[in-house]
Amino acid sequence: MGKTRATVHGRDEIRRVKAATVTRGLNFPHAAQAVQIVRRRRIVTTGKVTLERIYAVTDLTAKQADAAEIAHRVRDHWGIENKIHHVRDTTYAEDASRVRTGTAPRAMGALRNLAIGALRLIGCDNIAAGLRKHGRDATRPLATLGIT
């Protein structure tokens, strides 16, 4: 079992990860371990507590990844998810988008990812500021994409 504790962004958070070797009984053909992650969060200012349980399977054996390693990998994955999805929602207001039919939502998501990736490649940490800067000069986006 792996356990971590951190206080960031006004939240006190405890994560516990349990991993068990799978021998049979799961309908996942390559599953080697079943994982339970329990996240307990307490908002520092209000004292409100939330408890969340997440279950997963992995094809990594216990020798390849113990509970602590799985916790590290899951945390890294969440970091990537948050880095992209948080930017897409806050900068582009993606959750409020009215584009909902056909393949348009997927295309818009791909274009947003392209813009975010291009700005990160040129060293832009603040995507909103990078979009504003590129929006002021019509030649700048083309130069960033290597089109000029």
Side-chain angles (χ1 to χ4, degrees):
M1 181 166 110
K3 178 180 174 182
T4 60
R5 182 179 194 143
T7 302
V8 291
H9 304 293
R11 293 184 307 251
D12 184 26
E13 190 167 284
I14 298 171
R15 285 189 187 84
R16 288 187 177 92
V17 178
K18 296 178 188 176
T21 300
V22 174
T23 55
R24 58 181 152 60
L26 284 181
N27 196 18
F28 294 92
H30 301 289
Q33 293 187 81
V35 180
Q36 179 193 51
I37 302 168
V38 179
R39 227 176 11 206
R40 181 188 176 275
R41 289 182 180 156
R42 184 181 64 83
I43 307 296
V44 175
T45 55
T46 65
K48 180 182 176 187
V49 175
T50 60
L51 189 67
E52 180 180 33
R53 281 185 172 76
I54 299 165
Y55 296 93
V57 293
T58 179
D59 63 349
L60 298 171
T61 65
K63 287 182 181 180
Q64 293 172 313
D66 60 4
E69 175 63 20
I70 290 171
H72 176 73
R73 289 178 184 221
V74 168
R75 186 91 169 137
D76 282 352
H77 176 74
W78 283 335
I80 293 166
E81 289 285 316
N82 289 337
K83 195 171 188 177
I84 293 291
H85 293 291
H86 177 73
V87 170
R88 282 174 51 175
D89 190 35
T90 57
T91 304
Y92 291 105
E94 189 172 61
D95 287 348
S97 174
R98 307 219 9 124
V99 178
R100 295 189 179 101
T101 58
T103 59
R106 184 174 291 176
M108 290 303 298
L111 290 170
R112 291 178 185 119
N113 286 345
L114 172 68
I116 293 167
L119 290 171
R120 290 209 194 280
L121 281 174
I122 62 167
C124 186
D125 291 331
N126 185 326
I127 301 302
L131 289 170
R132 286 190 298 273
K133 180 179 176 182
H134 280 68
R136 287 191 290 267
D137 180 358
T139 61
R140 196 170 282 140
L142 297 173
T144 296
L145 295 172
I147 296 175
T148 58

